[in-house]
Amino acid sequence: MRIALVDSGVGLLPAAAALRRARPDAGLVLSCDPDGMPWGPRSPEGITARALRCARAAAAERPDAVVVACNTATVHALPALRAALEPGVPVIGTVPAVKPAAASGGPFAIWATPATTGSAYQRRLIGEFAPDGRVAEVPCHGLADAVERADEAAIAAAVKAAAELTPPETTAIVLGCTHYELVAARIRAHLLSVTGVAVTLFGSAEAVAAQVLRRTGRPAAPDTADRGGLTVFASGRPAALPPAALAYAEGRFLAPSARRADPPAAGSRGGTA
C-alpha cells in the first residue's frame, strides 16, 4: 500500500502521521512545494498549477490514493486534480471540520488563512452545517507561514492575534488550515490561559486518514509489524524531509522511515506542471 500527500509545505504532516498510525505498513509519498509556497496568495489558476505539479510527481510513485492535504488547494484545485488523475488513482480532499464542530452544540470559531476566511467555499459549509449563525470566522494572519518556518516567536504572536479575534464565549475551534494542527497544543494552551476555559479543537487529519482507508478498501491495521517507507518530493524534485518538519512531533514520528526519492524515470510525469 502506498499513499501520496500533496501540500505547499509541512501542513501535510498531520494527515501523514494519522495514516502512519492507522497503517504503519503503508509507504507514504510527501510532495510539497517550497519553490511556490505559500499557495494562499496565489490565484486559483496558480494554485491549481502548483498542486498539479506536486501531484504528478507523487503519482509517478504509483500510489493507491492521492491526498490533497491542504484546505486552500482543495478549494481551488481538487476538480483539476481529479480530472488529471482519476479514475486511475482516487484523489481525496481536505474539508474543514465544520460539521462536527457545529454538532458539538456550542458557539464555535473557524481559524483559517485570510484567503479562506470569508470564501464562498467556507460560507457554504457554514450555511449547510451551522445555519444558526453561532460561528465566527477568524483570519489567522501569518500563522501558516510561521508554522512552516517553525518560528516559535512568530507562532506565538500569530496565535495571540487570532485569539484576540475569537469571541470569548467560543467553546470549540475548527482548525481550517492543515498547518495549524501542528501547533494545536499551543493554541489550546494559549486559549486556556486567556479564557480559563478548555476549548475543543477540531482538525481534519484523522478524518482524512479514515477516508483514505475507505476509498482504497484497506482497513486500519495499527498493530502490524511491517513498516512502510517515506518518499519526499520538493517542487517535483526528489528531496529529503525538510528540517522544519523535525520541529514537530508528527515530523519526528515520520522521520525514521524517510528516504530520498529516486529521480523520476525519463518520460514520466514526475516534475512536470
Side-chain angles (χ1 to χ4, degrees):
M1 184 180 183
R2 181 171 288 185
I3 305 299
L5 299 98
V6 172
D7 184 34
S8 61
V10 298
L12 47 64
L13 292 176
L19 282 163
R20 175 66 81 225
R21 289 190 293 270
R23 288 296 302 246
D25 59 323
L28 300 178
V29 181
L30 310 186
S31 189
C32 55
D33 187 28
D35 293 356
M37 71 168 305
W39 285 351
R42 292 180 176 272
S43 68
E45 296 77 14
I47 293 168
T48 298
R50 305 302 305 191
L52 275 170
R53 178 187 180 92
C54 291
R56 284 173 171 158
E61 296 290 305
R62 301 184 181 277
D64 296 287
V66 172
V67 176
V68 185
C70 172
N71 297 97
T72 298
T74 297
V75 171
H76 297 295
L78 188 60
L81 290 169
R82 285 179 167 162
L85 300 178
E86 291 183 344
V89 57
V91 179
I92 297 152
T94 301
V95 178
V98 174
K99 182 178 180 180
S104 69
F108 69 97
I110 305 173
W111 282 25
T113 64
T116 300
T117 300
S119 67
Y121 171 77
Q122 185 162 291
R123 291 288 170 84
R124 283 197 300 272
L125 289 174
I126 292 171
E128 182 176 359
F129 299 115
D132 60 3
R134 301 178 70 193
V135 55
E137 296 182 89
V138 177
C140 299
H141 297 276
L143 181 54
D145 291 344
V147 172
E148 184 66 32
R149 302 192 309 272
D151 184 330
E152 294 292 337
I155 291 169
V159 168
K160 181 177 183 292
E164 290 172 351
L165 297 175
T166 303
E169 67 273 15
T170 297
T171 60
I173 290 177
V174 175
L175 301 177
C177 171
T178 55
H179 279 71
Y180 302 169
E181 295 187 51
L182 292 170
V183 293
R186 273 167 274 190
I187 292 171
R188 185 182 293 108
H190 179 80
L191 290 168
L192 179 62
S193 71
V194 171
T195 66
V197 177
V199 176
T200 302
L201 302 184
F202 289 90
S204 55
E206 298 295 336
V208 166
Q211 179 68 352
V212 169
L213 299 184
R214 282 193 293 269
R215 289 288 301 275
T216 59
R218 309 290 186 91
D223 297 327
T224 180
D226 295 332
R227 290 294 180 268
L230 186 74
T231 303
V232 181
F233 289 95
S235 300
R237 304 179 301 273
L241 198 65
L246 301 180
Y248 303 105
E250 293 86 345
R252 295 190 295 273
F253 174 55
L254 295 167
S257 56
R259 68 173 179 83
R260 287 186 67 89
D262 294 327
S268 78
R269 295 186 297 173
T272 62

